Amino acid sequence: MHVDAAKQVVCCVQRFGLPMTQACMPMVQVYDYYAGGADTESTVRDNRAVYARYRLLPRYMVDVSHCDMTYTLLGRKLRMPIIVAPMSQQRMANDEGELAVARAVAKEGTAMVLSTMATQPLEDVAKAGKDGPLQLFQLYVIKDRKFCKSLIQRAGKAGYAGFMVTVDAPRLGNRIADERNKFSLPPGMDISNLKGLEKGKGKGDSSSHIVRIFQEEVDASLTWEFVKWMREVTDLPVFVKGILSPEDARKAVDIGVDGIVVSNHGGRQLDYSPATLDMIAPIRAAIGHQVPLLMDGGIRRGTDVLKAIALGADAVMLGRPVLYGLALQGEEGVRKVLQMLRRELMLGMQLAGCHKLAAITQSLILPFGDSNHYGNTSKM
């Protein structure tokens, strides 16, 4: 890591952009891997641009001297409705990788979701974050159901309180920057939780190890029947991550999932898929309040969180800014990112007249340019 960059005081999450962060990454290909998306990267851009399409309509004369931002998920109380999303290969940003993130998340009193593609063993990450309120495990479904079952059982034994099954990645998206950079894991790193899966198999061509895993090991025949199979393997809660269609969300609830994550994989899978913020309200309308509804994609400021909750999300998941904080200052950098967003959400709630999360409703949202949203006021 660049020493001068590591000493910089992080004052705004948006400053974790290209000029500062790329200098902290050990290689250009690592930054491109984290920051890049699929094909034209239209969805990556739209995930951010969508927040400008919604305005906030505050209500005043409300006592906001104390704002309650606590959120309860799976019976665990979190200090804020901001959860760290599953992200792969975090040791590329910092040698401790997922261990540093787990400690930071625990100290900030919120939840973390560990990726199947982590570069630290799931048991070690569970121990690092043992003092936190909640840890979940993200699952890529492996063709070999025996191996998949053992992974689920390992996570349960280690103390993870539930699973997020990623459903939007039957194949890896077309990530142009990774192809250009001939991306591969740096020497000395591996996908710790999948050790033994490819034992005895050839390395193939020069394509990324991750690409090979998706081509050869991840189950592209995945259907809703898997949820039923998983119920036979574990009693722990099961979320599905990667839902964009209200019809899929309704199907997921009908089949008995315990939660839904509205996600387009950070714009890294199907290019031109909709921005996640736009899909929260229609999915909430489709499923009601039967299960928790989380979302990720483009969150950079506290007002972004405010908008997502107002549109119907129960909580948000934070991705790239966590990696950038990790690259800058390790565990402390991750804590600063979470602290900044918490402070900004607190201020946004106070300025909007919301003293608790339940007070953040769709009446707070004014679509940009929609002068008729609250009726014709020309005679007032």
Side-chain angles (χ1 to χ4, degrees), residues 215-245:
Q215 289 174 341
E216 300 172 11
E217 308 295 348
V218 172
D219 193 352
S221 69
L222 193 65
T223 69
W224 292 110
E225 291 299 311
F226 178 79
V227 177
K228 298 177 182 178
W229 177 86
M230 198 163 177
R231 291 297 190 198
E232 298 174 359
V233 175
T234 180
D235 294 328
L236 292 174
V238 177
F239 288 61
V240 287
K241 179 181 180 292
I243 298 295
L244 291 171
S245 160

Side-chain angles (χ1 to χ4, degrees), residues 67-85:
C67 285
D68 183 4
M69 293 194 298
T70 58
Y71 170 62
T72 301
L73 181 63
L74 301 181
R76 314 288 182 88
K77 191 173 184 179
L78 312 182
R79 288 186 69 225
M80 54 186 155
I82 302 168
I83 297 166
V84 172

Side-chain angles (χ1 to χ4, degrees), residues 13 15 55 61 98 103 117 156 167 199 205 225 268 271 282 302 346 368 372 375:
V13 170
R15 289 182 61 196
R55 293 295 187 259
M61 301 301 287
E98 294 86 357
R103 290 196 302 268
M117 303 296 182
V167 300
K199 189 175 181 180
D205 57 27
E225 291 299 311
R268 295 160 68 80
D271 199 18
M346 172 73 79
F368 184 54
N372 294 317

Side-chain angles (χ1 to χ4, degrees), residues 20-90:
M20 183 184 293
T21 305
Q22 190 167 19
C24 301
M25 298 291 181
M27 295 175 288
V28 170
Q29 69 164 351
V30 172
Y31 179 84
D32 284 350
Y33 176 80
Y34 287 149
D39 292 314
T40 68
E41 299 187 341
S42 172
T43 301
V44 176
R45 293 189 295 273
D46 204 28
N47 270 353
R48 273 304 301 147
V50 67
Y51 290 91
R53 299 204 288 267
Y54 295 89
R55 293 295 187 259
L56 295 168
L57 188 67
R59 299 296 301 273
Y60 296 127
M61 301 301 287
V62 177
D63 182 358
V64 291
S65 57
H66 172 73
C67 285
D68 183 4
M69 293 194 298
T70 58
Y71 170 62
T72 301
L73 181 63
L74 301 181
R76 314 288 182 88
K77 191 173 184 179
L78 312 182
R79 288 186 69 225
M80 54 186 155
I82 302 168
I83 297 166
V84 172
M87 295 167 285
S88 67
Q89 306 169 83
Q90 294 176 23

Side-chain angles (χ1 to χ4, degrees), residues 125-142:
V125 179
K127 290 177 183 176
K130 62 182 174 58
D131 294 329
L134 180 66
Q135 290 179 308
L136 301 172
F137 186 78
Q138 176 271 335
L139 182 69
Y140 282 116
V141 180
I142 304 301

Side-chain angles (χ1 to χ4, degrees), residues 7 55 99 107 119 128 153-154 162 164 169 184 189 202 207 245 254 262 264 353 360 380:
K7 290 181 178 178
R55 293 295 187 259
L99 301 180
K107 289 174 182 176
T119 42
Q153 292 174 334
R154 280 178 59 196
M164 281 188 183
S184 61
M189 294 185 195
S207 62
S245 160
D254 289 344
V262 181
N264 55 33
I360 305 173
M380 293 179 66

Side-chain angles (χ1 to χ4, degrees), residues 17 34 73 94 101 113 115 126 138 159 181 188 217 223 262-263 275 282 286 289 313 347 352-353 362:
Y34 287 149
L73 181 63
N94 174 279
V101 174
V113 188
S115 172
Q138 176 271 335
N181 294 331
E217 308 295 348
T223 69
V262 181
S263 175
H289 291 271
L347 180 59
Q362 199 157 359

